[in-house]
Amino acid sequence: MAELVIKDVDDATLEKLAKQAEAFGRSLQEELKIILSRAAQFAEVRRSAAEMRAKLGGRHHTDSVELLREDRSR
């Protein structure tokens, strides 16, 4: 696995992250790995969503509220 060095992290941020890690029973290093992993996953989801919006752009889509009302009125 690769190593990562982050310089000049302000003390307040580092303290908050350390407290967060402690609250979950993890080391600071474990907590930072989880945060980075979730951020990477979120970036993938955003990219996929943007691709889907681009594919569906310009098309007419039925409002889901209308469909729900129709269904409930049966």
Side-chain angles (χ1 to χ4, degrees), residues 3-58:
E3 290 187 30
L4 177 66
V5 175
I6 301 173
K7 296 180 180 183
D8 301 324
V9 176
D10 70 274
D11 293 336
T13 299
L14 192 58
E15 187 177 324
K16 288 176 188 175
L17 290 168
K19 285 181 181 178
Q20 179 176 315
E22 186 179 347
F24 288 112
R26 297 190 275 250
S27 69
L28 178 58
Q29 183 173 346
E30 286 177 299
E31 189 68 17
L32 294 172
K33 285 180 187 179
I34 290 168
I35 291 169
L36 289 171
S37 177
R38 288 179 181 165
Q41 289 172 352
F42 181 70
E44 286 180 39
V45 169
R46 286 187 59 159
R47 195 171 19 262
S48 294
E51 288 173 8
M52 185 62 71
R53 279 192 301 276
K55 282 183 185 178
L56 298 175

